Amino acid sequence: EKGGYDSFMEKEIHDQPQAVADTLLGRTDAEGRLVLDEMNIDESVLKSIDKIVVIACGTASYAGQVARYAIEHWCRIPTEVELAHEFRYRDPVVNEKTLVVAVSQSGETMDTIMAVRHAREQGAKVIAICNTNGSTIPRESDAALYTHAGPEIAVASTKAFLAQITACYLLGLYLAQLRGNKFADEVRAILDELHQIPAKLSQILEQTKGQVQDLALRYSEAGSVLFLGRHVGFPVALEGALKLKELAYIHAEGFAAGELKHGPIALIEEGQLVFIIVPSKRGRDSLHAKVISNIQEVRARGANTLVIAEEGDEAVREYASEVIYVPQSPTLLAPLLTTVPLQIFAMALATSKGLDVDQPRNLAKSVTVE
Ligand code: F6R
């Protein structure tokens, strides 16, 4: 049932091209327009919303954080992402014009269920993005958009995360399409790019896995690992750090690269391992240059720099201890690719320490208590 892999986690990492493809499947019509049949909230209501709040926990919240960059850019609707347990107890401002998006693999996370109930009591419409048919969160929501990642058995989330980003993007594109025709061609172009992601994921799994596994062995004694990212790379950094904590029990911390000089750079000393997720140069040149100088800054203080960059980016080599290349993609889609080496790194490092990657200590697959 592990499909020939050593663990469910490894299998699920390899399921990712399929998980993304299946989440995209059947959601466009012959003209290439997005159709989300399950979106049974009145179009007039969806057109009138003036705020989106994504609520989720853990990895699912990072999927929301990634999606926020895309949704605000495409839809021009103010979008917040909040941890469900914080949202619930904060007396948040939500009303009939708020669209709440509850993201949950299991659909049974109690913190998220309570937040959904609270949002609906305030009159908000709630859409669930969920991987488990008929679970509590979609049942209690106004509509559900399912991720079709297939069952996720390993406690640490991998394929569900990529499927959650994909589904959030479909929702963002759908709202953009609904709210303005001008955007139709752009929606189509982004959908085309999304459809190319599965092949690029397969390429990473074939060509990069071995390199990342070797790195994990080389650095298996690391006592702490930092992750830096900017723009959509920031939540990817948070996710990379979470995977390493959960699986390898190593202290790991993700930072927005722009924060480095506001504090975290004080942590850098000789031999500190730092992952840096570099944005595409073709996206925003200035951001690329800023992250390159971050690599330089930590390298100058003795850090070992593991850099994730897109193919063809030669500028990153100068200050990198090692570069992990992923295929080129539009900036907003890059997290679907750059996350994968971080998943593999955490899994391989935990495995090298003899740990059970499917069942990390102290954790449960779904957290059904508040
Ligand atoms: C991390 C992980 C958790 C879950 C979180 C939410 O690898 O799996 O952080 O993402 O507990 O779970 P769901 O998505 O089931 O609500």
Side-chain angles (χ1 to χ4, degrees):
E1 52 193 359
K2 292 178 190 163
Y5 294 103
D6 289 339
S7 62
F8 282 108
M9 183 177 184
E10 187 178 20
K11 173 186 176 290
E12 287 160 9
I13 286 174
H14 281 266
D15 284 346
Q16 293 183 113
Q18 198 65 47
V20 171
D22 287 348
T23 300
L24 293 171
L25 196 70
R27 283 173 164 159
T28 34
D29 67 14
E31 276 82 55
R33 279 180 68 83
L34 201 52
V35 274
L36 298 182
D37 292 334
E38 54 270 77
M39 200 54 65
N40 47 8
I41 297 178
D42 260 12
E43 287 199 359
S44 61
V45 174
L46 290 176
K47 279 182 182 156
S48 71
I49 56 165
D50 62 9
K51 181 163 93 167
I52 295 174
V53 182
V54 182
I55 49 173
C57 300
T59 289
S61 79
Y62 301 147
Q65 286 198 37
V66 169
R68 175 182 176 208
Y69 293 87
I71 294 175
E72 287 197 327
H73 178 65
W74 294 332
C75 305
R76 309 308 299 155
I77 304 170
T79 303
E80 297 167 10
V81 183
E82 190 155 7
L83 294 168
H85 34 90
E86 286 296 318
F87 172 86
R88 166 73 183 80
Y89 290 100
R90 193 175 52 83
D91 198 10
V93 182
V94 288
N95 55 40
E96 300 73 25
K97 291 191 170 221
T98 313
L99 180 65
V100 169
V101 181
V103 184
S104 174
Q105 188 285 129
S106 63
E108 300 297 350
T109 299
M110 188 51 79
D111 289 314
T112 310
I113 295 172
M114 297 308 283
V116 166
R117 288 180 187 158
H118 185 71
R120 294 196 72 196
E121 277 163 20
Q122 316 296 308
K125 291 284 180 218
V126 179
I127 296 181
I129 291 192
C130 186
N131 198 45
T132 312
N133 257 298
S135 57
T136 306
I137 291 171
R139 272 195 285 113
E140 294 206 11
S141 298
D142 296 283
L145 184 57
Y146 281 102
T147 48
H148 296 146
E152 194 178 62
I153 312 272
V155 165
S157 188
T158 53
K159 63 178 179 175
F161 177 66
L162 294 201
Q164 283 161 351
I165 295 173
T166 305
C168 286
Y169 278 17
L170 290 177
L171 175 63
L173 291 169
Y174 181 78
L175 292 173
Q177 179 180 277
L178 199 74
R179 292 163 71 100
N181 294 332
K182 264 200 332 227
F183 192 66
D185 285 343
E186 205 179 329
V187 171
R188 219 160 304 175
I190 297 160
L191 282 171
D192 281 349
E193 290 283 356
L194 270 172
H195 280 103
Q196 292 174 36
I197 292 291
K200 293 177 184 180
L201 283 167
S202 299
Q203 188 187 323
I204 295 174
L205 293 168
E206 278 157 31
Q207 295 174 7
T208 317
K209 191 179 174 196
Q211 179 197 6
V212 178
Q213 282 171 323
D214 290 347
L215 282 172
L217 287 180
R218 192 185 313 161
Y219 292 108
S220 64
E221 299 304 315
S224 143
V225 184
L226 305 182
F227 295 75
L228 300 177
R230 205 169 169 137
H231 190 255
V232 286
F234 172 35
V236 172
L238 298 175
E239 171 63 2
L242 179 60
K243 288 288 96 96
L244 202 57
K245 290 178 219 179
E246 285 182 296
L247 295 163
Y249 317 147
I250 292 176
H251 175 260
E253 197 83 51
F255 297 107
E259 274 294 288
L260 195 59
K261 55 183 162 305
H262 299 289
I265 198 162
L267 290 169
I268 309 294
E269 56 185 9
E270 194 63 35
Q272 172 68 53
L273 193 56
V274 185
F275 270 96
I276 303 107
I277 300 117
V278 179
S280 158
K281 203 175 168 146
R282 295 165 305 118
R284 281 201 202 111
D285 211 15
S286 60
L287 271 195
H288 177 265
K290 290 197 167 91
V291 176
I292 299 274
S293 57
N294 292 142
I295 305 175
Q296 198 175 337
E297 284 153 13
V298 296
R299 182 61 184 260
R301 290 164 177 84
N304 291 322
T305 48
L306 306 184
V307 172
I308 301 180
E310 81 171 15
E311 278 165 6
D313 186 344
E314 292 300 321
V316 295
R317 284 194 189 275
E318 192 175 348
Y319 304 104
S321 308
E322 179 108 358
V323 185
I324 301 158
Y325 282 112
V326 297
Q328 296 188 349
S329 70
T331 301
L332 287 170
L333 305 194
L336 293 167
L337 305 177
T338 52
T339 302
V340 179
L342 301 180
Q343 297 168 337
I344 296 169
F345 184 81
M347 175 180 71
L349 205 150
T351 306
S352 79
K353 293 171 94 177
L355 301 172
D356 178 350
V357 294
D358 288 339
Q359 295 272 320
R361 69 184 180 200
N362 307 344
L363 295 170
K365 183 64 184 161
S366 64
V367 183
T368 54
V369 289
E370 263 192 286

